[in-house]
Amino acid sequence: MSTVVTELALPDAPGEPGPRGDRFREFHEHIERANAARFGPGVAVRSPEERLSSLQPPANERRQAFVGHRDGRLVGTVQLFTPQLEATDVAEIVISTEPGLDAGEAKAAIEALLDHAESVAVAQGRTDLRGDSDAAASGPVVAATGYGGADPADPEVAALLERGYSLEQVYRISVLDLRALPDLDERLAAARAGAPGYEVVAWSGFTPEPYRAGVCRLKEGMAADAPGGGVLFEPEVWDDARLTDFETQVSGGGKTIRTVVAVERATGELVGFSSLFVGSAVVVNQHDTVVLAGHRGHGLGLLMKLVNLVELREHHPRHTRVVTWNAEENRPMLAVNEATGFNPIVHDGVWQRRVTP
């Protein structure tokens, strides 16, 4: 029997009784199993409240989720992300299959989920389709950047290759354990001493008013500087309303944003930021880190990350691990992460296919 793909109708609350609540809980439990199989136990965990919040679209992006069933059994899911402000030709497709499927079952589920997501994306006028897959530091299918690769025998890789997707980039996923950093305070003191022309400011929650315009500029700088390999990123325009919408969305479900900014003492200009998302899980997500080009070379990336780790230790003692995603070709940031204490666990491939409308 073929895989039947249907859109997930979101409930008003995770515990909502009835079909919508049942389907959401089935979706959530599947994602938890799939993430544990892919990233390892505890690395990518969300509460039902956090997952439901993550499916709510912010103003700048449409988010849709679909579930695939065969013989009444869930075999996989696909999420479709379509930007609404910039990159309006792009559709990001994220597929997961149920752990335990054999290669043939997984390939059939992936094909059906890809078919459906691509058709929805093309119907919305999207011509730049992007997918992801398991990857590695090296492999027979080499990323366009020259860093990292993928295995063509993997069911998702095989499906993407058959459709004409190209592997553009590989991300390294790394985890830091705070318990392995007994010298954190000493390291932070050394990092502060190495950047005497700068001070750092840390806060929890929404960005305070004095820093909002500066954080918007840094967000624009992050979008401009992010390494994309052959995947192009359009410049982004951030204002107070967009920052509020972003912070509201990422703090949904009870999450806390922890932010550190670097400020040039001579001018008062914000020249860098780094943020963590603290949720219900022990593992915290390291989000963006950026230092403006004219201020690199002072160890500010390392300094901001160390400050945020101290903040995490002091204010969230239960949260002892941090996970981060970085492009394998982004050697400066990988060097910062390695110096901070991050260790690689898995890799993720970024694929792209352009279609004619």
Side-chain angles (χ1 to χ4, degrees), residues 122 125-129 353-357:
V122 171
R126 305 294 162 145
T127 57
D128 183 342
L129 307 182
R353 178 166 80 98
R354 296 189 181 275
V355 298
T356 303

Side-chain angles (χ1 to χ4, degrees), residues 7 13 20 79 122 140 147 210 213 234 262 264 282 296 304 355:
E7 187 162 6
R20 289 197 313 179
Q79 297 180 67
V122 171
Y147 294 88
E234 291 189 11
E264 187 180 31
V282 169
R296 293 170 188 165
M304 292 187 296
V355 298

